[in-house]
């Protein structure tokens, strides 16, 4: 392939919104994973779901 021949461009799939049930199950799994992790529990981190994203943040009881 020479420098001026580019491969065919394939468009990326658009993002799909999660249903409340899907988001709740993912949030539960992430929270359980943090609770099972000794390191994250000692760092006092928690998962939160807001604005369509999952956030890993410090708990307010530690601050």
């Amino acid at each position: 392939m020479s420098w001026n021949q580019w491969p065919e461009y394939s468009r990326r799939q658009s993002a799909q919104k999660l249903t409340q049930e899907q988001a709740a199950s993912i949030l539960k799994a992430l929270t359980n994973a943090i609770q099972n992790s000794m390191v994250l529990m000692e760092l006092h981190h928690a998962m939160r779901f807001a604005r369509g994203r999952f956030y890993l943040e410090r708990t307010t009881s530690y601050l």
Side-chain angles (χ1 to χ4, degrees), residues 12-61:
R12 184 168 54 161
Q13 293 181 352
S14 61
Q16 297 177 354
K17 296 211 181 250
L18 295 175
T19 64
Q20 290 294 337
E21 294 83 20
Q22 290 172 326
S25 68
I26 293 172
L27 182 60
K28 183 179 178 183
L30 291 172
T31 303
N32 287 339
I34 290 172
Q35 289 175 350
N36 291 334
S37 170
M38 292 174 51
V39 173
L40 292 176
M41 284 301 291
E42 288 298 317
L43 293 174
H44 301 276
H45 280 75
M47 285 301 300
R48 184 171 64 94
F49 180 72
R51 298 185 303 273
R53 292 189 169 93
F54 294 96
Y55 295 94
L56 177 66
E57 58 186 17
R58 276 195 169 170
T59 57
T60 56
S61 62

